Amino acid sequence: MGLSERNLKIAQARLAARTATALDVSRAQNALNSDRQDLASARASLPVLEASLARTLNLQGDLNLSAPPAAPKLSVTLAALQAGLEKRLPSLVQAANGAALAALQVRLSDNDYTPARTLEDARVAAQNAQRTLDDALRAAQTGVRDAYRAAQDAQERVALAREALQNARTALTQAQARLKAGTAAAVEVQQAQLQVSQAEFSLTQAQGGVWRALAGLGTASGVDVTGLVN
């Protein structure tokens, strides 16, 4: 918002010097008003978000929020996460139990005193149950693969965001040096400071994206890859 205030003062000064128009001042004023409204909205929404988080975590009292820790690196392989899904995911466990029960029914019906039609129906049911299990397993493996790629992509975005932040900080240092040497205006330093703040926010968002991607991968695979579950 400080940058918008300075831009407004610059526009007003240029208008007084007749090197800008009233429209330029109006635009700068609108930008400042928009920034003020965004700030007020963010401040007003913070208690609501904190209360929502407290309800989600079933916590009482005021929350002491801090920056999240760095997300762990994805060290487990895709093959390891795809293996044994039918023993971890409830939907697959249910389908596997259904297939096993149907196969048992075939064995129980395969005798000299059970009608042939009953045995045939049991075999058809067993084939259908096995097909259901196979289809569910393939879908689950695809889900794990997609979630794994999303986690990898999220971690790559963190690396890019860190690089962008470093570049922004370098640009700020250079702008401050130019200001000290008298070859840059104060507004250029403020613009560089704003870009650093935006890059820091982008990095925080990217880090949050990693946590969400890891949580999604854990849900898809039935294995905690966040390190948060004891």
Side-chain angles (χ1 to χ4, degrees):
M1 194 167 65
L3 179 60
S4 295
E5 290 174 343
R6 183 177 291 274
N7 285 337
L8 176 59
K9 291 179 180 179
I10 291 174
Q12 291 170 334
R14 287 176 175 172
L15 177 64
R18 297 187 178 183
T19 58
T21 66
L23 179 59
D24 295 324
V25 175
S26 178
R27 287 173 175 167
Q29 182 66 63
N30 288 338
L32 176 58
N33 292 342
S34 178
D35 287 347
R36 285 173 174 167
Q37 183 59 46
D38 289 343
L39 179 59
S41 298
R43 286 173 173 169
S45 65
L46 183 58
V48 178
L49 294 174
E50 288 178 342
S52 176
L53 178 60
R55 287 194 300 271
T56 300
L57 300 177
N58 195 26
L59 298 176
Q60 303 296 327
D62 295 334
L63 293 179
N64 263 329
L65 299 180
S66 60
K73 292 292 184 181
L74 190 59
S75 57
V76 64
T77 65
L78 174 60
L81 292 176
Q82 287 180 321
L85 286 174
E86 68 280 3
K87 299 177 182 179
R88 296 193 304 268
L89 299 184
S91 59
L92 291 184
V93 170
Q94 183 178 5
N97 288 340
L101 180 60
L104 175 61
Q105 201 63 40
V106 171
R107 292 194 297 272
L108 293 176
S109 301
D110 190 7
N111 52 63
D112 294 334
Y113 51 85
T114 298
R117 179 58 184 270
T118 300
L119 175 58
E120 182 60 27
D121 290 345
R123 284 173 173 165
V124 171
Q127 291 172 353
N128 290 337
Q130 186 61 47
R131 188 177 300 112
T132 297
L133 174 59
D134 293 341
D135 291 344
L137 182 57
R138 281 193 294 270
Q141 289 175 335
T142 299
V144 172
R145 183 195 64 205
D146 293 344
Y148 192 88
R149 290 176 178 173
Q152 289 179 317
D153 178 71
Q155 291 183 330
E156 290 173 0
R157 289 180 184 277
V158 168
L160 293 175
R162 284 200 179 101
E163 183 179 350
L165 175 57
Q166 183 58 46
N167 292 339
R169 285 173 174 167
T170 299
L172 173 59
T173 300
Q174 293 172 347
Q176 290 170 331
R178 290 197 304 271
L179 176 65
K180 187 175 181 179
T183 58
V187 68
E188 294 180 58
V189 174
Q190 279 195 308
Q191 289 171 338
Q193 290 171 333
L194 176 60
Q195 290 172 348
V196 169
S197 296
Q198 291 172 334
E200 289 173 340
F201 181 61
S202 295
L203 176 57
T204 299
Q205 286 183 313
Q207 291 171 332
V210 172
W211 282 113
R212 287 191 295 272
L214 291 177
L217 178 57
T219 299
S221 65
V223 176
D224 173 48
V225 291
T226 66
L228 299 177
V229 179
N230 294 324

